[in-house]
Amino acid sequence: MEPSRWERAKYGAAMGGAVGLCIGLVFGGLSAMRNGPGRNGYVNNLAQTMMSSTAMFAFFMAIGSVIRTEESLAIDYAELDQNKGRKNIWGGAMRFKTPPVVILQQQKEQQQQQEN
């Protein structure tokens, strides 16, 4: 069973948080070495950089993982190809033609059926 969107958002936030923590450590450390401790000291400055990058990466990775779910990417190519690429009344294509990957898969399945 596929994970729900909420679970995907949690996984994305966890991954983004881990990446953000590492990026914050690197850039915060470089900033502290280059510019000095600032008024808050080394530890507070580094912690603030790490937490802000963690929050940002976690937020965007959670959104990205929800957007990129298998349900939203599932395309029924048979339904899209039923109109055979005819144009609608505004001049644009109503449906997509069958992509080459699907055609190759169909040809491979036909060859396997003929061999059996």
Side-chain angles (χ1 to χ4, degrees), residues 8-33:
R8 286 180 188 262
K10 287 193 299 187
Y11 297 149
M15 244 191 321
V19 170
L21 216 92
C22 295
I23 298 268
L25 177 67
V26 169
F27 287 122
L30 288 174
S31 175
M33 286 191 297

Side-chain angles (χ1 to χ4, degrees), residues 10 22 29 33 43 45 54 58 60 67 88 104 113:
K10 287 193 299 187
C22 295
M33 286 191 297
V43 176
N45 199 10
T54 299
F60 286 116
I67 289 173
N88 61 18
L104 291 173
Q113 289 175 356

Side-chain angles (χ1 to χ4, degrees), residues 23-67:
I23 298 268
L25 177 67
V26 169
F27 287 122
L30 288 174
S31 175
M33 286 191 297
R34 184 177 293 165
N35 301 325
R39 62 183 177 164
N40 294 332
Y42 285 110
V43 176
N44 287 339
N45 199 10
L46 183 63
Q48 182 181 4
T49 305
M50 289 173 67
M51 290 307 293
S52 63
S53 66
T54 299
M56 182 186 66
F57 273 92
F59 178 72
F60 286 116
M61 284 290 288
I63 290 174
S65 62
V66 169
I67 289 173

